[in-house]
Amino acid sequence: MADAEILTGTVVAVRGGVVDARFSGRLPRLNALLVAGPEDEVVIEVVMHLDAAHVRGTALTATQGLASGAPIRDTGGTLQAPVGDAILGRVFNVFGRPIDEKGEIVDCRWRPIQARPAALMERSTQSEIFTTGIKAIDVLAPLERGGKAGLFGGAGVGKTVLITELIHNMVGQHEGVSIFCGIGERCREGEELYREMGEAGVLDNTVMVFGQMNEPPGARFRVGLTALTMAEYFRDDQGRDVLLLIDNIFRFIQAGMEISGMLGLMPSRLGYQPTMATELAELQERIANTRRGAITSIQAVYVPADDFTDPAAVHTFSHLSATIVLSRKRASEGLYPAIDPLASASKMLTPIIVGERHYRLAQEIRRTLATYEELKDIIAMLGLEELSRDDRHTVFRARRLERFFTQPFFTTEQFTGMQGRTVSLAEALDGCEAILNDEFTEAPEKVLYMIGNIDEARRRLKQGAAGDANREEGT
């Protein structure tokens, strides 16, 4: 009873999402959760001790109606997230409460979202490739198991489709868990993604956590840690591989900038918070692979005004091991997934990690596609016939490589009518090698479009030749 009296106070100021409170006895500790208002309707997280009697906190819920003099009390704990198999297939907010109208979670445990990264001695020292079954990624921008990849793409270029396919392949190949974290998501985007995942049949092994755009910056700033806590449970307690998808990491930085401004901290360059590097590192450094399992993260990254020297972009890039760029031009040409092979890159693409053959083929593919890109203007003005014989062969190889990197997805079967394909890395490399060796120079480009491995193209060629023979016999 004495403790309850000590940790009860009064609101003294409300400025937007920042609340100051006075406590007569011992102060609540940093990151403690406070509730204020007549019905405890406003949730506040302590971020500062102003003096011996006052604390300052950021509101995780709307502060409308909260006035100076309102009662405030310490809940005795910090922000927590539910963990356990019961959370699979569900959608949560920053407080770990279900928002999918499927009832409360009963068979689960709760863990504080504030935690230290895995100790260095617990981390795996091996650099391993995280295969996705998607040719363009595995060959040209391989992901690191336990690493972080940035996914750059605007609206309408297939970002959501690529995310759902990665989740599907994660469940099928790695028997892992996928966690989608929406930071600053629009309500419409979250609802569409939830529905599409349900239709694609990947929801049962997926957890979705949203801090939506209309929520206070405090909620958007902490939702990433809620998702990470869930991911760490599956990695550390169950020894499973986890695919953590974050959309959008820039909105996490933006939420921190809003909080910093409301707290009255001095801004740094371009108005960003002075603690941006620390806050981003606290989130990113918990994404790692250990001896028991790995958290592999794919993060959508927005680059303000396409300025790659923007502090938010620079600090984010320093944490990424792979960059996947989606091209609107390729999407308009029907080349899905619309991954730009020249703009995408990976730190894993070295001979020591991927092997000499993979590295050599990837470099040859890039050279071929880059030469084709340079020749496009000449082709547009003078025509293909004006090129030298070697350049024409380069163009033929490049166009066939572009079509070979297209792939039907499992998550789009109901829309395209084409059965999805998962292609192993060895099969993808064999196909690229066959094209670079001019095996398909005389073949029509369409035999390589929307296929899985290269054997499908060979079967299409045989079927086409048999059909032509049958037609000749008929005439």
Side-chain angles (χ1 to χ4, degrees), residues 152-158 325-343 369 372-377 380 399 402-403 406 449:
F152 300 80
V157 294
V325 179
L326 297 181
S327 161
R328 192 172 302 281
K329 184 173 179 292
R330 290 178 67 83
S332 67
E333 294 170 358
L335 300 174
Y336 287 105
I339 295 168
D340 188 330
L342 297 177
L369 293 173
Y372 175 44
E373 198 65 34
E374 293 170 1
L375 293 171
K376 279 183 177 178
D377 288 341
R399 289 183 61 84
E402 284 184 336
R403 277 141 190 81
T406 62
Y449 181 68

PDB file of all heavy atoms in Angstrom, residues 152-158 325-343 369 372-377 380 399 402-403 406 449:
ATOM      1  N   PHE A 152      14.165  -1.440 -51.576  1.00  0.00           N
ATOM      2  CA  PHE A 152      13.807  -0.108 -52.048  1.00  0.00           C
ATOM      3  C   PHE A 152      12.755  -0.245 -53.146  1.00  0.00           C
ATOM      4  O   PHE A 152      13.008  -0.880 -54.178  1.00  0.00           O
ATOM      5  CB  PHE A 152      15.028   0.619 -52.602  1.00  0.00           C
ATOM      6  CG  PHE A 152      16.128   0.803 -51.600  1.00  0.00           C
ATOM      7  CD1 PHE A 152      17.000  -0.234 -51.307  1.00  0.00           C
ATOM      8  CD2 PHE A 152      16.290   1.998 -50.941  1.00  0.00           C
ATOM      9  CE1 PHE A 152      18.009  -0.079 -50.381  1.00  0.00           C
ATOM     10  CE2 PHE A 152      17.305   2.170 -50.013  1.00  0.00           C
ATOM     11  CZ  PHE A 152      18.159   1.125 -49.730  1.00  0.00           C
ATOM     12  N   GLY A 153      11.594   0.352 -52.946  1.00  0.00           N
ATOM     13  CA  GLY A 153      10.564   0.280 -53.977  1.00  0.00           C
ATOM     14  C   GLY A 153       9.382   1.152 -53.646  1.00  0.00           C
ATOM     15  O   GLY A 153       8.965   1.229 -52.494  1.00  0.00           O
ATOM     16  N   GLY A 154       8.861   1.816 -54.658  1.00  0.00           N
ATOM     17  CA  GLY A 154       7.682   2.650 -54.464  1.00  0.00           C
ATOM     18  C   GLY A 154       6.407   1.847 -54.604  1.00  0.00           C
ATOM     19  O   GLY A 154       6.414   0.610 -54.608  1.00  0.00           O
ATOM     20  N   ALA A 155       5.294   2.557 -54.747  1.00  0.00           N
ATOM     21  CA  ALA A 155       3.996   1.891 -54.865  1.00  0.00           C
ATOM     22  C   ALA A 155       3.835   1.295 -56.255  1.00  0.00           C
ATOM     23  O   ALA A 155       4.209   1.902 -57.253  1.00  0.00           O
ATOM     24  CB  ALA A 155       2.880   2.903 -54.596  1.00  0.00           C
ATOM     25  N   GLY A 156       3.311   0.079 -56.301  1.00  0.00           N
ATOM     26  CA  GLY A 156       2.955  -0.524 -57.580  1.00  0.00           C
ATOM     27  C   GLY A 156       4.059  -1.264 -58.298  1.00  0.00           C
ATOM     28  O   GLY A 156       3.882  -1.671 -59.441  1.00  0.00           O
ATOM     29  N   VAL A 157       5.209  -1.474 -57.649  1.00  0.00           N
ATOM     30  CA  VAL A 157       6.296  -2.190 -58.329  1.00  0.00           C
ATOM     31  C   VAL A 157       6.447  -3.630 -57.817  1.00  0.00           C
ATOM     32  O   VAL A 157       7.356  -4.341 -58.227  1.00  0.00           O
ATOM     33  CB  VAL A 157       7.642  -1.445 -58.173  1.00  0.00           C
ATOM     34  CG1 VAL A 157       7.601  -0.119 -58.889  1.00  0.00           C
ATOM     35  CG2 VAL A 157       8.007  -1.252 -56.716  1.00  0.00           C
ATOM     36  N   GLY A 158       5.565  -4.061 -56.932  1.00  0.00           N
ATOM     37  CA  GLY A 158       5.569  -5.453 -56.489  1.00  0.00           C
ATOM     38  C   GLY A 158       6.244  -5.693 -55.160  1.00  0.00           C
ATOM     39  O   GLY A 158       6.646  -6.815 -54.852  1.00  0.00           O
ATOM     40  N   VAL A 325      16.815  -3.376 -55.089  1.00  0.00           N
ATOM     41  CA  VAL A 325      16.135  -2.218 -55.656  1.00  0.00           C
ATOM     42  C   VAL A 325      15.077  -2.700 -56.648  1.00  0.00           C
ATOM     43  O   VAL A 325      15.383  -3.487 -57.557  1.00  0.00           O
ATOM     44  CB  VAL A 325      17.135  -1.287 -56.369  1.00  0.00           C
ATOM     45  CG1 VAL A 325      16.409  -0.081 -56.975  1.00  0.00           C
ATOM     46  CG2 VAL A 325      18.208  -0.812 -55.400  1.00  0.00           C
ATOM     47  N   LEU A 326      13.837  -2.245 -56.464  1.00  0.00           N
ATOM     48  CA  LEU A 326      12.757  -2.582 -57.387  1.00  0.00           C
ATOM     49  C   LEU A 326      12.597  -1.450 -58.396  1.00  0.00           C
ATOM     50  O   LEU A 326      12.549  -0.275 -58.029  1.00  0.00           O
ATOM     51  CB  LEU A 326      11.448  -2.802 -56.630  1.00  0.00           C
ATOM     52  CG  LEU A 326      11.450  -3.974 -55.647  1.00  0.00           C
ATOM     53  CD1 LEU A 326      10.097  -4.108 -54.969  1.00  0.00           C
ATOM     54  CD2 LEU A 326      11.801  -5.276 -56.339  1.00  0.00           C
ATOM     55  N   SER A 327      12.517  -1.819 -59.675  1.00  0.00           N
ATOM     56  CA  SER A 327      12.501  -0.844 -60.756  1.00  0.00           C
ATOM     57  C   SER A 327      11.098  -0.705 -61.349  1.00  0.00           C
ATOM     58  O   SER A 327      10.487  -1.699 -61.749  1.00  0.00           O
ATOM     59  CB  SER A 327      13.486  -1.279 -61.846  1.00  0.00           C
ATOM     60  OG  SER A 327      13.226  -0.653 -63.064  1.00  0.00           O
ATOM     61  N   ARG A 328      10.606   0.511 -61.415  1.00  0.00           N
ATOM     62  CA  ARG A 328       9.301   0.765 -62.025  1.00  0.00           C
ATOM     63  C   ARG A 328       9.342   0.476 -63.531  1.00  0.00           C
ATOM     64  O   ARG A 328       8.370   0.029 -64.119  1.00  0.00           O
ATOM     65  CB  ARG A 328       8.863   2.201 -61.767  1.00  0.00           C
ATOM     66  CG  ARG A 328       7.401   2.468 -62.113  1.00  0.00           C
ATOM     67  CD  ARG A 328       6.968   3.839 -61.657  1.00  0.00           C
ATOM     68  NE  ARG A 328       7.137   4.021 -60.224  1.00  0.00           N
ATOM     69  CZ  ARG A 328       6.289   3.545 -59.320  1.00  0.00           C
ATOM     70  NH1 ARG A 328       5.222   2.864 -59.703  1.00  0.00           N
ATOM     71  NH2 ARG A 328       6.498   3.743 -58.033  1.00  0.00           N
ATOM     72  N   LYS A 329      10.494   0.726 -64.156  1.00  0.00           N
ATOM     73  CA  LYS A 329      10.642   0.481 -65.595  1.00  0.00           C
ATOM     74  C   LYS A 329      10.507  -1.008 -65.900  1.00  0.00           C
ATOM     75  O   LYS A 329       9.823  -1.414 -66.835  1.00  0.00           O
ATOM     76  CB  LYS A 329      12.006   0.994 -66.059  1.00  0.00           C
ATOM     77  CG  LYS A 329      12.238   0.886 -67.566  1.00  0.00           C
ATOM     78  CD  LYS A 329      13.537   1.585 -67.937  1.00  0.00           C
ATOM     79  CE  LYS A 329      13.809   1.474 -69.432  1.00  0.00           C
ATOM     80  NZ  LYS A 329      14.108   0.093 -69.847  1.00  0.00           N
ATOM     81  N   ARG A 330      11.154  -1.851 -65.097  1.00  0.00           N
ATOM     82  CA  ARG A 330      11.054  -3.299 -65.311  1.00  0.00           C
ATOM     83  C   ARG A 330       9.638  -3.793 -65.040  1.00  0.00           C
ATOM     84  O   ARG A 330       9.143  -4.691 -65.723  1.00  0.00           O
ATOM     85  CB  ARG A 330      12.056  -4.034 -64.415  1.00  0.00           C
ATOM     86  CG  ARG A 330      13.492  -3.813 -64.840  1.00  0.00           C
ATOM     87  CD  ARG A 330      14.466  -4.509 -63.912  1.00  0.00           C
ATOM     88  NE  ARG A 330      14.353  -5.962 -64.018  1.00  0.00           N
ATOM     89  CZ  ARG A 330      14.951  -6.688 -64.949  1.00  0.00           C
ATOM     90  NH1 ARG A 330      15.692  -6.096 -65.872  1.00  0.00           N
ATOM     91  NH2 ARG A 330      14.831  -7.995 -64.962  1.00  0.00           N
ATOM     92  N   ALA A 331       8.977  -3.203 -64.048  1.00  0.00           N
ATOM     93  CA  ALA A 331       7.592  -3.591 -63.765  1.00  0.00           C
ATOM     94  C   ALA A 331       6.694  -3.249 -64.950  1.00  0.00           C
ATOM     95  O   ALA A 331       5.796  -4.024 -65.316  1.00  0.00           O
ATOM     96  CB  ALA A 331       7.099  -2.898 -62.499  1.00  0.00           C
ATOM     97  N   SER A 332       6.925  -2.106 -65.576  1.00  0.00           N
ATOM     98  CA  SER A 332       6.104  -1.710 -66.724  1.00  0.00           C
ATOM     99  C   SER A 332       6.331  -2.616 -67.923  1.00  0.00           C
ATOM    100  O   SER A 332       5.474  -2.737 -68.799  1.00  0.00           O
ATOM    101  CB  SER A 332       6.411  -0.253 -67.108  1.00  0.00           C
ATOM    102  OG  SER A 332       7.726  -0.133 -67.603  1.00  0.00           O
ATOM    103  N   GLU A 333       7.495  -3.277 -67.981  1.00  0.00           N
ATOM    104  CA  GLU A 333       7.792  -4.212 -69.068  1.00  0.00           C
ATOM    105  C   GLU A 333       7.310  -5.628 -68.758  1.00  0.00           C
ATOM    106  O   GLU A 333       7.487  -6.541 -69.562  1.00  0.00           O
ATOM    107  CB  GLU A 333       9.299  -4.232 -69.332  1.00  0.00           C
ATOM    108  CG  GLU A 333       9.851  -2.911 -69.868  1.00  0.00           C
ATOM    109  CD  GLU A 333      11.373  -2.890 -69.896  1.00  0.00           C
ATOM    110  OE1 GLU A 333      11.982  -3.891 -69.460  1.00  0.00           O
ATOM    111  OE2 GLU A 333      11.943  -1.896 -70.347  1.00  0.00           O
ATOM    112  N   GLY A 334       6.708  -5.811 -67.578  1.00  0.00           N
ATOM    113  CA  GLY A 334       6.205  -7.135 -67.203  1.00  0.00           C
ATOM    114  C   GLY A 334       7.273  -8.078 -66.702  1.00  0.00           C
ATOM    115  O   GLY A 334       7.056  -9.292 -66.661  1.00  0.00           O
ATOM    116  N   LEU A 335       8.438  -7.550 -66.339  1.00  0.00           N
ATOM    117  CA  LEU A 335       9.537  -8.391 -65.854  1.00  0.00           C
ATOM    118  C   LEU A 335       9.443  -8.478 -64.332  1.00  0.00           C
ATOM    119  O   LEU A 335      10.050  -7.686 -63.603  1.00  0.00           O
ATOM    120  CB  LEU A 335      10.881  -7.809 -66.295  1.00  0.00           C
ATOM    121  CG  LEU A 335      11.092  -7.690 -67.808  1.00  0.00           C
ATOM    122  CD1 LEU A 335      12.395  -6.959 -68.112  1.00  0.00           C
ATOM    123  CD2 LEU A 335      11.092  -9.065 -68.460  1.00  0.00           C
ATOM    124  N   TYR A 336       8.646  -9.434 -63.853  1.00  0.00           N
ATOM    125  CA  TYR A 336       8.447  -9.601 -62.406  1.00  0.00           C
ATOM    126  C   TYR A 336       9.200 -10.829 -61.909  1.00  0.00           C
ATOM    127  O   TYR A 336       9.216 -11.855 -62.580  1.00  0.00           O
ATOM    128  CB  TYR A 336       6.955  -9.765 -62.100  1.00  0.00           C
ATOM    129  CG  TYR A 336       6.156  -8.497 -62.243  1.00  0.00           C
ATOM    130  CD1 TYR A 336       5.326  -8.293 -63.343  1.00  0.00           C
ATOM    131  CD2 TYR A 336       6.225  -7.494 -61.290  1.00  0.00           C
ATOM    132  CE1 TYR A 336       4.589  -7.130 -63.472  1.00  0.00           C
ATOM    133  CE2 TYR A 336       5.494  -6.330 -61.405  1.00  0.00           C
ATOM    134  CZ  TYR A 336       4.677  -6.158 -62.503  1.00  0.00           C
ATOM    135  OH  TYR A 336       3.953  -5.000 -62.628  1.00  0.00           O
ATOM    136  N   PRO A 337       9.828 -10.788 -60.725  1.00  0.00           N
ATOM    137  CA  PRO A 337       9.912  -9.635 -59.829  1.00  0.00           C
ATOM    138  C   PRO A 337      10.755  -8.527 -60.452  1.00  0.00           C
ATOM    139  O   PRO A 337      11.760  -8.812 -61.107  1.00  0.00           O
ATOM    140  CB  PRO A 337      10.581 -10.215 -58.580  1.00  0.00           C
ATOM    141  CG  PRO A 337      11.366 -11.381 -59.072  1.00  0.00           C
ATOM    142  CD  PRO A 337      10.574 -11.950 -60.198  1.00  0.00           C
ATOM    143  N   ALA A 338      10.345  -7.280 -60.220  1.00  0.00           N
ATOM    144  CA  ALA A 338      10.955  -6.140 -60.910  1.00  0.00           C
ATOM    145  C   ALA A 338      12.241  -5.689 -60.235  1.00  0.00           C
ATOM    146  O   ALA A 338      12.453  -4.503 -59.972  1.00  0.00           O
ATOM    147  CB  ALA A 338       9.945  -4.995 -60.972  1.00  0.00           C
ATOM    148  N   ILE A 339      13.135  -6.637 -59.961  1.00  0.00           N
ATOM    149  CA  ILE A 339      14.396  -6.328 -59.278  1.00  0.00           C
ATOM    150  C   ILE A 339      15.391  -5.794 -60.300  1.00  0.00           C
ATOM    151  O   ILE A 339      15.612  -6.416 -61.343  1.00  0.00           O
ATOM    152  CB  ILE A 339      14.944  -7.580 -58.580  1.00  0.00           C
ATOM    153  CG1 ILE A 339      13.989  -8.011 -57.453  1.00  0.00           C
ATOM    154  CG2 ILE A 339      16.337  -7.349 -58.030  1.00  0.00           C
ATOM    155  CD1 ILE A 339      14.276  -9.382 -56.888  1.00  0.00           C
ATOM    156  N   ASP A 340      15.959  -4.639 -59.998  1.00  0.00           N
ATOM    157  CA  ASP A 340      16.968  -4.045 -60.878  1.00  0.00           C
ATOM    158  C   ASP A 340      18.296  -4.751 -60.634  1.00  0.00           C
ATOM    159  O   ASP A 340      18.901  -4.591 -59.567  1.00  0.00           O
ATOM    160  CB  ASP A 340      17.103  -2.548 -60.577  1.00  0.00           C
ATOM    161  CG  ASP A 340      17.988  -1.822 -61.581  1.00  0.00           C
ATOM    162  OD1 ASP A 340      18.910  -2.461 -62.112  1.00  0.00           O
ATOM    163  OD2 ASP A 340      17.744  -0.626 -61.833  1.00  0.00           O
ATOM    164  N   PRO A 341      18.790  -5.535 -61.598  1.00  0.00           N
ATOM    165  CA  PRO A 341      19.992  -6.346 -61.347  1.00  0.00           C
ATOM    166  C   PRO A 341      21.267  -5.529 -61.216  1.00  0.00           C
ATOM    167  O   PRO A 341      22.235  -5.983 -60.601  1.00  0.00           O
ATOM    168  CB  PRO A 341      20.063  -7.263 -62.572  1.00  0.00           C
ATOM    169  CG  PRO A 341      19.312  -6.542 -63.639  1.00  0.00           C
ATOM    170  CD  PRO A 341      18.252  -5.736 -62.949  1.00  0.00           C
ATOM    171  N   LEU A 342      21.298  -4.314 -61.786  1.00  0.00           N
ATOM    172  CA  LEU A 342      22.507  -3.497 -61.727  1.00  0.00           C
ATOM    173  C   LEU A 342      22.554  -2.632 -60.479  1.00  0.00           C
ATOM    174  O   LEU A 342      23.617  -2.342 -59.952  1.00  0.00           O
ATOM    175  CB  LEU A 342      22.608  -2.619 -62.979  1.00  0.00           C
ATOM    176  CG  LEU A 342      22.748  -3.381 -64.303  1.00  0.00           C
ATOM    177  CD1 LEU A 342      22.766  -2.424 -65.474  1.00  0.00           C
ATOM    178  CD2 LEU A 342      24.009  -4.246 -64.304  1.00  0.00           C
ATOM    179  N   ALA A 343      21.379  -2.196 -60.001  1.00  0.00           N
ATOM    180  CA  ALA A 343      21.335  -1.352 -58.799  1.00  0.00           C
ATOM    181  C   ALA A 343      21.377  -2.170 -57.516  1.00  0.00           C
ATOM    182  O   ALA A 343      21.747  -1.659 -56.461  1.00  0.00           O
ATOM    183  CB  ALA A 343      20.082  -0.485 -58.825  1.00  0.00           C
ATOM    184  N   LEU A 369      24.588  -7.304 -68.744  1.00  0.00           N
ATOM    185  CA  LEU A 369      23.425  -6.415 -68.606  1.00  0.00           C
ATOM    186  C   LEU A 369      23.841  -4.944 -68.675  1.00  0.00           C
ATOM    187  O   LEU A 369      23.112  -4.105 -69.220  1.00  0.00           O
ATOM    188  CB  LEU A 369      22.714  -6.704 -67.286  1.00  0.00           C
ATOM    189  CG  LEU A 369      22.046  -8.081 -67.175  1.00  0.00           C
ATOM    190  CD1 LEU A 369      21.519  -8.310 -65.770  1.00  0.00           C
ATOM    191  CD2 LEU A 369      20.912  -8.221 -68.182  1.00  0.00           C
ATOM    192  N   TYR A 372      24.430  -4.080 -72.321  1.00  0.00           N
ATOM    193  CA  TYR A 372      23.118  -3.948 -72.992  1.00  0.00           C
ATOM    194  C   TYR A 372      22.482  -2.598 -72.664  1.00  0.00           C
ATOM    195  O   TYR A 372      21.916  -1.937 -73.536  1.00  0.00           O
ATOM    196  CB  TYR A 372      22.221  -5.104 -72.561  1.00  0.00           C
ATOM    197  CG  TYR A 372      20.803  -5.031 -73.088  1.00  0.00           C
ATOM    198  CD1 TYR A 372      20.537  -4.702 -74.408  1.00  0.00           C
ATOM    199  CD2 TYR A 372      19.724  -5.297 -72.252  1.00  0.00           C
ATOM    200  CE1 TYR A 372      19.239  -4.643 -74.896  1.00  0.00           C
ATOM    201  CE2 TYR A 372      18.426  -5.238 -72.720  1.00  0.00           C
ATOM    202  CZ  TYR A 372      18.187  -4.909 -74.039  1.00  0.00           C
ATOM    203  OH  TYR A 372      16.903  -4.829 -74.518  1.00  0.00           O
ATOM    204  N   GLU A 373      22.625  -2.171 -71.424  1.00  0.00           N
ATOM    205  CA  GLU A 373      22.062  -0.883 -71.014  1.00  0.00           C
ATOM    206  C   GLU A 373      22.718   0.265 -71.788  1.00  0.00           C
ATOM    207  O   GLU A 373      22.055   1.215 -72.206  1.00  0.00           O
ATOM    208  CB  GLU A 373      22.271  -0.702 -69.507  1.00  0.00           C
ATOM    209  CG  GLU A 373      21.388   0.342 -68.858  1.00  0.00           C
ATOM    210  CD  GLU A 373      19.917  -0.002 -68.882  1.00  0.00           C
ATOM    211  OE1 GLU A 373      19.561  -1.192 -68.781  1.00  0.00           O
ATOM    212  OE2 GLU A 373      19.098   0.944 -69.034  1.00  0.00           O
ATOM    213  N   GLU A 374      24.032   0.153 -72.004  1.00  0.00           N
ATOM    214  CA  GLU A 374      24.745   1.187 -72.757  1.00  0.00           C
ATOM    215  C   GLU A 374      24.358   1.191 -74.235  1.00  0.00           C
ATOM    216  O   GLU A 374      24.375   2.244 -74.884  1.00  0.00           O
ATOM    217  CB  GLU A 374      26.258   0.962 -72.632  1.00  0.00           C
ATOM    218  CG  GLU A 374      26.799   1.188 -71.221  1.00  0.00           C
ATOM    219  CD  GLU A 374      28.234   0.728 -71.081  1.00  0.00           C
ATOM    220  OE1 GLU A 374      28.811   0.258 -72.103  1.00  0.00           O
ATOM    221  OE2 GLU A 374      28.782   0.822 -69.972  1.00  0.00           O
ATOM    222  N   LEU A 375      24.020   0.010 -74.764  1.00  0.00           N
ATOM    223  CA  LEU A 375      23.703  -0.108 -76.193  1.00  0.00           C
ATOM    224  C   LEU A 375      22.254   0.257 -76.520  1.00  0.00           C
ATOM    225  O   LEU A 375      21.909   0.386 -77.700  1.00  0.00           O
ATOM    226  CB  LEU A 375      23.981  -1.533 -76.673  1.00  0.00           C
ATOM    227  CG  LEU A 375      25.450  -1.979 -76.680  1.00  0.00           C
ATOM    228  CD1 LEU A 375      25.536  -3.469 -76.963  1.00  0.00           C
ATOM    229  CD2 LEU A 375      26.250  -1.187 -77.690  1.00  0.00           C
ATOM    230  N   LYS A 376      21.420   0.428 -75.504  1.00  0.00           N
ATOM    231  CA  LYS A 376      19.994   0.661 -75.760  1.00  0.00           C
ATOM    232  C   LYS A 376      19.745   1.919 -76.579  1.00  0.00           C
ATOM    233  O   LYS A 376      18.869   1.941 -77.449  1.00  0.00           O
ATOM    234  CB  LYS A 376      19.220   0.721 -74.431  1.00  0.00           C
ATOM    235  CG  LYS A 376      18.887  -0.647 -73.873  1.00  0.00           C
ATOM    236  CD  LYS A 376      18.063  -0.544 -72.600  1.00  0.00           C
ATOM    237  CE  LYS A 376      17.669  -1.925 -72.085  1.00  0.00           C
ATOM    238  NZ  LYS A 376      16.908  -1.853 -70.831  1.00  0.00           N
ATOM    239  N   ASP A 377      20.501   2.988 -76.323  1.00  0.00           N
ATOM    240  CA  ASP A 377      20.320   4.232 -77.073  1.00  0.00           C
ATOM    241  C   ASP A 377      20.677   4.035 -78.544  1.00  0.00           C
ATOM    242  O   ASP A 377      19.988   4.535 -79.444  1.00  0.00           O
ATOM    243  CB  ASP A 377      21.171   5.352 -76.470  1.00  0.00           C
ATOM    244  CG  ASP A 377      20.626   5.832 -75.136  1.00  0.00           C
ATOM    245  OD1 ASP A 377      19.433   5.573 -74.870  1.00  0.00           O
ATOM    246  OD2 ASP A 377      21.388   6.435 -74.360  1.00  0.00           O
ATOM    247  N   ALA A 380      17.937   2.065 -80.199  1.00  0.00           N
ATOM    248  CA  ALA A 380      16.741   2.880 -80.412  1.00  0.00           C
ATOM    249  C   ALA A 380      16.895   3.803 -81.619  1.00  0.00           C
ATOM    250  O   ALA A 380      15.934   4.048 -82.362  1.00  0.00           O
ATOM    251  CB  ALA A 380      16.441   3.695 -79.164  1.00  0.00           C
ATOM    252  N   ARG A 399      19.009  -9.998 -73.022  1.00  0.00           N
ATOM    253  CA  ARG A 399      17.542 -10.082 -73.076  1.00  0.00           C
ATOM    254  C   ARG A 399      17.054 -11.429 -72.557  1.00  0.00           C
ATOM    255  O   ARG A 399      16.014 -11.507 -71.893  1.00  0.00           O
ATOM    256  CB  ARG A 399      17.051  -9.849 -74.506  1.00  0.00           C
ATOM    257  CG  ARG A 399      17.206  -8.396 -74.963  1.00  0.00           C
ATOM    258  CD  ARG A 399      16.647  -8.187 -76.357  1.00  0.00           C
ATOM    259  NE  ARG A 399      15.222  -8.481 -76.431  1.00  0.00           N
ATOM    260  CZ  ARG A 399      14.253  -7.615 -76.110  1.00  0.00           C
ATOM    261  NH1 ARG A 399      14.569  -6.399 -75.690  1.00  0.00           N
ATOM    262  NH2 ARG A 399      12.991  -7.954 -76.219  1.00  0.00           N
ATOM    263  N   GLU A 402      17.420 -11.388 -68.719  1.00  0.00           N
ATOM    264  CA  GLU A 402      16.332 -10.622 -68.109  1.00  0.00           C
ATOM    265  C   GLU A 402      15.069 -11.463 -67.990  1.00  0.00           C
ATOM    266  O   GLU A 402      14.375 -11.421 -66.968  1.00  0.00           O
ATOM    267  CB  GLU A 402      16.036  -9.375 -68.945  1.00  0.00           C
ATOM    268  CG  GLU A 402      17.043  -8.270 -68.769  1.00  0.00           C
ATOM    269  CD  GLU A 402      16.673  -7.012 -69.531  1.00  0.00           C
ATOM    270  OE1 GLU A 402      15.916  -7.111 -70.526  1.00  0.00           O
ATOM    271  OE2 GLU A 402      17.137  -5.923 -69.151  1.00  0.00           O
ATOM    272  N   ARG A 403      14.756 -12.224 -69.017  1.00  0.00           N
ATOM    273  CA  ARG A 403      13.549 -13.053 -68.984  1.00  0.00           C
ATOM    274  C   ARG A 403      13.723 -14.267 -68.089  1.00  0.00           C
ATOM    275  O   ARG A 403      12.767 -14.710 -67.456  1.00  0.00           O
ATOM    276  CB  ARG A 403      13.173 -13.456 -70.418  1.00  0.00           C
ATOM    277  CG  ARG A 403      12.374 -12.367 -71.111  1.00  0.00           C
ATOM    278  CD  ARG A 403      12.723 -12.177 -72.580  1.00  0.00           C
ATOM    279  NE  ARG A 403      12.067 -10.957 -73.075  1.00  0.00           N
ATOM    280  CZ  ARG A 403      12.545  -9.724 -72.891  1.00  0.00           C
ATOM    281  NH1 ARG A 403      13.673  -9.548 -72.216  1.00  0.00           N
ATOM    282  NH2 ARG A 403      11.906  -8.668 -73.353  1.00  0.00           N
ATOM    283  N   THR A 406      12.811 -13.574 -64.503  1.00  0.00           N
ATOM    284  CA  THR A 406      11.401 -13.514 -64.124  1.00  0.00           C
ATOM    285  C   THR A 406      11.013 -14.865 -63.530  1.00  0.00           C
ATOM    286  O   THR A 406      11.648 -15.885 -63.812  1.00  0.00           O
ATOM    287  CB  THR A 406      10.490 -13.202 -65.324  1.00  0.00           C
ATOM    288  OG1 THR A 406      10.616 -14.254 -66.294  1.00  0.00           O
ATOM    289  CG2 THR A 406      10.861 -11.874 -65.956  1.00  0.00           C
ATOM    290  N   TYR A 449      10.723 -16.919 -70.391  1.00  0.00           N
ATOM    291  CA  TYR A 449       9.911 -15.986 -69.605  1.00  0.00           C
ATOM    292  C   TYR A 449       9.010 -16.738 -68.634  1.00  0.00           C
ATOM    293  O   TYR A 449       8.330 -17.699 -69.012  1.00  0.00           O
ATOM    294  CB  TYR A 449       9.060 -15.131 -70.549  1.00  0.00           C
ATOM    295  CG  TYR A 449       8.184 -14.112 -69.860  1.00  0.00           C
ATOM    296  CD1 TYR A 449       8.741 -13.028 -69.197  1.00  0.00           C
ATOM    297  CD2 TYR A 449       6.798 -14.243 -69.856  1.00  0.00           C
ATOM    298  CE1 TYR A 449       7.942 -12.085 -68.556  1.00  0.00           C
ATOM    299  CE2 TYR A 449       5.990 -13.303 -69.222  1.00  0.00           C
ATOM    300  CZ  TYR A 449       6.570 -12.229 -68.576  1.00  0.00           C
ATOM    301  OH  TYR A 449       5.775 -11.313 -67.939  1.00  0.00           O
TER     302      TYR A 449
END
